[in-house]
Each structure stands twice: as C-alpha cells, then as structure tokens.
Amino acid sequence: VDEATPKHGYHHGDLRRALCVAGYELARHGGLHAVTLREATRRAGVTAAAAYRHFSGLDDLLLAVAHLGLGDLARSIERRQGLVAETEQVPQAVALLEAVGLGYIDFARAEPGAFETALSGLATMEHADDADSTGDSGRTPYQLLTDAIGRLVAIGALPPERAEPAAVLCWSTVHGFATLAVRGPIRTYPAATLDALADELVRGVVTGVLDQESSLDQNRRPSGSSSPRSAS
Amino acid sequence: VDEATPKHGYHHGDLRRALCVAGYELARHGGLHAVTLREATRRAGVTAAAAYRHFSGLDDLLLAVAHLGLGDLARSIERRQGLVAETEQVPQAVALLEAVGLGYIDFARAEPGAFETALSGLATMEHADDADSTGDSGRTPYQLLTDAIGRLVAIGALPPERAEPAAVLCWSTVHGFATLAVRGPIRTYPAATLDALADELVRGVVTGVLDQESSLDQNRRPSGSSSPRSAS
DNA sequence: TGTACATCAGTGAACGCGCGTTCACTGATGTAC
DNA sequence: TGTACATCAGTGAACGCGCGTTCACTGATGTAC
C-alpha cells in the first residue's frame, strides 16, 4: 500500500494497482462517496478514460477498493490476535475470538473511511476471496471470525450447530459498536471510554455466546417470538 | 404521513410538509442517496427553486427527512412495547427494554431505506427533539431506550452508574444486527431465521447488561485492555 | 364594502459543476522474420 | 542484428446527465385605509 511508485514496466507500470491505491486513499479520507473514477485517475496522473483498460467501470473500481479495505481490516484483527498470550486451551481460544472483535473495532476507529467502504456491501464479505482482501495470514476478516469460532467448536467449548449463530451474533454486536463509535452518538466519547466499552462489549458477547443456558433453549420465554412486520 | 393531499390553504397549502413527505418516500425506496431536492420538488409538483422558501438547502431537507424516519422508528418500538404483557415488575421492565431492540430491528427490516436515512448521522439521535422525530408517546427512539433503562434503574435492577454503558451496549448490538440483516451478509437469511436470531440477540444483550458479575468488574482479566491504534 | 398596496410563495430560465462513459487516435512496447 | 509490423495502454476531446443553487419575475394572498 505504498503510493506514487510507478515502477515503470510497461506504459505506466501497473496502472490498475495505482488506481486501486489512489481510490483507497480517497476512501480513507472521504469515505465511499469520495471514491470517483475521475479523481482516482487524476491522482494516478492519467486520463479518466485510461481506467477503462483495467476496470469495467466505477463499480469495478469500488469493489477493488473495498477489497483493499478488507485486507487492512484482516491485518488489524491479526495484530490483536498476535497479542494473545499462550495459556490453557479454552481461555486462549476465547481470547482469540475476542481479538477478532477488538481488531475489528480498532480498524473502524482508526480508519473510518476505509471501514465504511469495505463494509458498504459492495464486497459480499463471505465471498471476498480476492487476494487483496486477505491479511498476512491469507485469510479474510470473515474467515478469521469463523476460524476463531471453529476453534472453540473443535475444543468442545461450543456445539457445532451453534457456530453459525455465534458468528452472526458476535459480528452484529461488534459491527454495531464500530458504526456508532465512528459516526454514531458515541463518536464524541473520549478514546479511553470507548476502549473500556469495547472491551466490555466484546467480552460480554463472547461470554453470552458460550453460555449454553442463555443460548440453547430458544423458547425459554413464551412472550412473542414471531415478528410483527411493516412500520407505519 | 399521507401523500398527495395538498389541502390548499395558501399557495400550495403546506409545501414544507409535502417536500418532507416526498423526500421521505424517496428515502424509503432508494435510501439516503435517492433523496434529492429536484426529485422531491418534482414529486410535489413544484419548481426546484420553491424548496428554498422552506429549506436552507439540501442538507436541511435531509435532516427533516431523517426526523420523519426517527418518528417511524419510535412508533415501531412503541408497537413492540404495546405487546408486552403485564407481569411482575422486573420481568416486565426487562421485556420493555427488549421491545426497544426488537422494534428497532423490525423497523430496519421493514423499511431499510428509511432506516438508513434516519440513522445516517444527519440527525444526532440524542438531540433530535424535533416533533417529527417522536412516536405517538412523544418520545424519540433514544428516549424510549433511556426510559426503558431508567425504569430498570428505578426498580433497582440496574445500578445508576451502569445506565449509560448499558444504553450504549444495547444500542450497539441491536444496531449492528439491524445493519447486517438489511444489507449485510445475513440479508439473505429466511425471515424466520432472522426473527429467531433477533430474539436471541436481544435477550442475550439485555441479560448480559443486567448481569452484574460480567459487567461490574471491568478488570477481571489482565490481558490488554488498552488499544493499539492505527491500522496498516 | 371596496380599493390600493405590501408581502411573499412559487416560477422559469439559467449558471456551473463534476461525474461516468464513448470514441477515434497515437505512440510506445514486444514480436516475427 | 536489424527492420516491419501487430498489439494495446493511455490520450484528449466530447457527450449527456442530473444535480444544487441563483436570480429577477409574477401573481395570488392578506392587510390597511
């Protein structure tokens, strides 16, 4: 992800790459909305039409930019996981799952524009097998999440049929916090407060997911479990 | 929120209202991005410049549209709260808080475009005291949340100093799920599955928030509770 | 009650903007003989 | 090794688009006498 090194090989060298990087920079500073074919080509020192040699159109560039964001998100998670100390099997596996959530929140707070772009729904996160969308371990953010949960299943801390709902619940929780911390009402909180809240949130959801009693008996309470639809 | 009833009183009747409604309709069908001064005025059967008699510009209209969305969101929450059966103090208060989350998720799923617009950060949710942003009870979505939590505090189910973090955690969790259910990876899940997941999620977070043991001792585990910043 | 006037909501035309996309082109690169 | 040629990455000009915003205007409304 280094800039303005045109390493001439052919005409431009690797214009596709340069456009991706320029687009990603735009995303970082102005969010999804700021990523534009014309501005990306301008940054790359090239005519707008040149982009069409490497992308089918704007959407194609946006997708590539989103993949770059997912890669950085994966690296942010990997960094947190790298800090997990070795200990007994279960607590370590728990810590690795918590690191997924904490790294996710780190990235959203450090790079709100890139986060917004990566998670805007352009790249369907599960199927993002693009090389750019993986971290140093070669895994996408989603794979890092499912791997951490798979590990808990493997050591018997989570029943296999709970793996998928667990992934959804963890991801929802962390994603919501990240969103609110970036452009929601808690964006003005001091960083230390957000750190503490993030820790608590992540610990809470992981604990909840592993707690059989609260997660297995879905019909615990008789009050309406179906949903009234259509608002106003 | 009815359409095309110009109830002539002055020139147009109430053009400001008509433009809000037209803009809200655009938001419902196409999301924030689809709300445009020109299209809203077109829908209202009026020249684009006419909007400037009632709004200072596009942002002003967007804010008004977001407030309408918050109002519908509040009503969606109130609908869920209306279904809560009378029972003992604590379980009823718990059910009222859960209803906030469930109504929030209902609204996001039923009206994704309106949801996106209302929560896009235009209206700072806590300070949205506009009349349009309140439900039938005269309270905004945020007030409905803090009221439900305040009730738990009042009956001694939650220590007062936990009220604010509890609000943040509940909101984050529910908001994340709503986002992922609307345009995230679980948007393709069958409705019944999402219903079940939403129930589980909401119950889980409320339980977690009320569970003193997991929420009060913040330094339970020694592993890093500060945060490494800056990604990539 | 009727007329003159001030107000002001909505008009219609125009502005500049940046965008995505197209097209015939040019000129550097790599290849065939 | 040198020349002729095909390839194709990037050019530059142009297209139409819808947007937000401005401006002098008009004509209906409400008010003062």
Side-chain angles (χ1 to χ4, degrees):
Chain A
V1 191
D2 51 345
E3 183 142 50
T5 52
K7 50 183 166 184
H8 281 277
Y10 198 55
H11 275 164
H12 175 99
D14 189 353
L15 182 55
R16 183 188 165 87
R17 196 86 210 152
L19 290 174
C20 286
V21 170
Y24 189 56
E25 223 56 31
L26 292 171
R28 286 182 61 207
H29 291 100
L32 176 63
H33 204 70
V35 183
T36 254
L37 253 179
R38 292 195 98 106
E39 183 60 28
T41 51
R42 221 172 281 135
R43 297 274 183 109
V46 123
T47 289
Y52 288 83
R53 296 284 170 200
H54 302 278
F55 300 95
S56 67
L58 174 64
D59 286 350
D60 202 17
L61 172 64
L62 289 177
L63 182 64
V65 168
H67 280 151
L68 281 182
L70 288 177
D72 275 352
L73 172 56
R75 273 179 286 277
S76 181
I77 291 171
E78 287 165 352
R79 184 180 312 118
R80 277 281 192 173
Q81 288 191 323
L83 299 177
V84 171
E86 289 204 19
T87 163
E88 304 111 76
Q89 237 185 8
V90 172
Q92 181 166 354
V94 167
L96 284 173
L97 176 56
E98 289 174 351
V100 174
L102 294 172
Y104 194 98
I105 293 171
D106 285 345
F107 181 67
R109 289 172 63 193
E111 294 288 353
F115 176 76
E116 180 201 3
T117 307
L119 276 299
S120 63
L122 295 163
T124 46
M125 199 158 168
E126 317 94 301
H127 308 111
D129 42 10
D130 189 289
D132 287 340
S133 62
T134 61
D136 298 332
S137 71
R139 289 175 292 168
T140 66
Y142 188 71
Q143 285 168 343
L144 289 165
L145 170 64
T146 53
D147 283 3
I149 286 175
R151 187 176 180 129
L152 285 166
V153 171
I155 63 180
L158 190 73
E161 73 275 11
R162 295 294 306 157
E164 196 189 347
V168 169
L169 299 186
C170 288
W171 190 1
S172 294
T173 305
V174 161
H175 183 75
F177 184 83
T179 303
L180 296 183
V182 164
R183 61 173 184 205
I186 60 175
R187 72 184 154 229
T188 56
Y189 281 31
T193 305
L194 287 178
D195 289 342
L197 280 171
D199 269 14
E200 188 179 336
L201 178 91
V202 169
R203 259 193 266 130
V205 65
V206 170
T207 303
V209 150
L210 293 179
D211 177 16
Q212 309 289 353
E213 207 167 28
S214 76
S215 56
L216 271 186
D217 56 327
Q218 305 218 8
N219 300 323
R220 186 181 47 158
R221 206 169 324 129
S223 84
S225 79
S226 61
S227 75
R229 200 38 46 77
S230 93
S232 179
Chain B
V1 189
D2 52 344
E3 183 140 50
T5 52
K7 49 183 165 183
H8 281 277
Y10 199 54
H11 275 162
H12 175 98
D14 189 353
L15 182 55
R16 184 186 164 88
R17 196 86 210 152
L19 290 175
C20 287
V21 170
Y24 189 55
E25 222 56 31
L26 292 172
R28 287 181 62 207
H29 291 99
L32 176 63
H33 204 70
V35 183
T36 253
L37 255 179
R38 292 195 99 106
E39 184 60 28
T41 50
R42 221 173 281 136
R43 295 276 182 110
V46 124
T47 289
Y52 289 83
R53 297 285 169 197
H54 302 277
F55 300 95
S56 68
L58 175 64
D59 287 349
D60 202 18
L61 173 64
L62 289 177
L63 182 64
V65 169
H67 280 153
L68 280 183
L70 288 178
D72 275 351
L73 172 56
R75 273 179 284 278
S76 181
I77 291 171
E78 288 166 351
R79 185 179 311 118
R80 277 281 192 173
Q81 288 191 322
L83 299 177
V84 171
E86 289 202 20
T87 164
E88 302 110 78
Q89 239 186 8
V90 173
Q92 182 167 354
V94 167
L96 284 172
L97 176 56
E98 290 175 350
V100 174
L102 294 172
Y104 194 98
I105 293 171
D106 284 344
F107 182 66
R109 290 172 64 194
E111 294 287 351
F115 176 76
E116 180 201 5
T117 307
L119 276 299
S120 63
L122 295 162
T124 47
M125 200 156 167
E126 317 93 304
H127 308 113
D129 42 9
D130 189 292
D132 286 342
S133 62
T134 61
D136 297 331
S137 70
R139 291 175 291 169
T140 67
Y142 189 72
Q143 285 168 344
L144 289 165
L145 170 64
T146 53
D147 284 2
I149 286 174
R151 187 178 180 127
L152 285 166
V153 171
I155 64 180
L158 189 73
E161 74 275 11
R162 295 294 305 157
E164 196 189 346
V168 170
L169 301 186
C170 287
W171 191 0
S172 295
T173 306
V174 161
H175 183 74
F177 184 83
T179 304
L180 296 184
V182 164
R183 62 171 185 209
I186 60 175
R187 72 183 154 231
T188 56
Y189 281 30
T193 306
L194 289 178
D195 290 341
L197 280 170
D199 270 13
E200 188 179 338
L201 178 91
V202 169
R203 258 193 266 132
V205 66
V206 171
T207 303
V209 151
L210 293 179
D211 176 16
Q212 309 287 356
E213 208 170 28
S214 77
S215 56
L216 273 186
D217 56 329
Q218 305 216 7
N219 300 325
R220 185 181 47 158
R221 206 170 322 130
S223 84
S225 80
S226 60
S227 76
R229 201 39 44 78
S230 91
S232 177

